[in-house]
Amino acid sequence: MKRLYLLILLLGAFGMAFSQSKMACCHKPDAPTATKRFAMLASNSKFVMAHANPKRIHFQSSIGKAINYKTADGLTANAYELKAKKPTNNYLLVIHEWYGLNDFIKREAEKLYNDVGNVNVIALDLYDGKVADNRQDAGKLMQAVKEPRAQNIIKGAIAYAGPKARIATLGWCFGGGWSLQSAILAGKQAVACVMYYGMPEQSIDRLKMLNTDVLGNFANKDQFINTKIVAQFKENMAKAGKKLYLHQFDADHGFANPSNPIYDSEATKQAYAYTLEYLKPRLK
């Protein structure tokens, strides 16, 4: 009887070990990052159809210029730069929507340049020169972004600004999520971060890496970066010990883009006022 009991114990232990091994080998990989979660929305037809094709905007600047800089992966990145009128270490990194670095983004970059004060503005290009003029192509470009490459483009821009640069970030939609990631990547150089309806970071540990507070302009009618996600972001920021200045508008995703048919002029005006009120003292 004693031998039978020992045999049952051994078989049970073997079974548990096999079960745990099986669970380990079949364990689901880590949840996707915030930027990947947003990119995955491009495979959702409702998300794609919620973005009407943009109206064409032509913008020609007399002060902005195309630049390029080296990145740590041995490649070169493109960007659009507006240099401050007087030498300053204040930089604003602007990150495009899912359409890419188009004329609308360049026009917005120049508007911020004129309104914020004496600041260097660099509009990044996370698509490496590609631009979409319709929602289907925009979705494909957003999904094609490789996180290591995007991070190298951002880090390259920070290096281009220099070790003494004080970095602020701002972005919309796709760029809204990357604005937050850029502020994290900037480390102690980060002094401000503005997100327009972008996917928030869910990892409290990553949010703890922020060296700055965050201004969030979100849309209550947004079905994807919805009020539940925004509420969780607010909670996570509090748990991370970081300040979130949250503004929510009775508008839809993409409300601040006048080339978008769902453009909301009043919400845009209010959000922009909050944005300038936030950025100016941090970029003195």
Side-chain angles (χ1 to χ4, degrees), residues 59-69 77-83 92-94 101-111 113 120-125 160:
F59 174 71
Q60 183 66 49
S61 173
S62 61
I63 54 176
K65 67 174 184 177
I67 62 167
N68 56 67
Y69 53 86
N78 311 301
Y80 181 75
E81 181 183 43
L82 298 110
K83 291 191 72 68
L92 175 61
L93 304 184
V94 173
L101 181 53
N102 57 18
D103 278 4
F104 164 67
I105 299 300
K106 293 175 182 178
R107 189 180 75 179
E108 290 300 297
E110 186 158 326
K111 180 177 174 60
Y113 171 83
N120 300 289
V121 176
I122 303 177
L124 307 187
D125 178 6
Y160 174 86

Side-chain angles (χ1 to χ4, degrees), residues 46-59:
K46 290 184 178 179
F47 178 80
V48 175
M49 296 306 293
H51 292 71
N53 289 330
K55 299 174 183 176
R56 292 185 180 275
I57 288 179
H58 178 70
F59 174 71

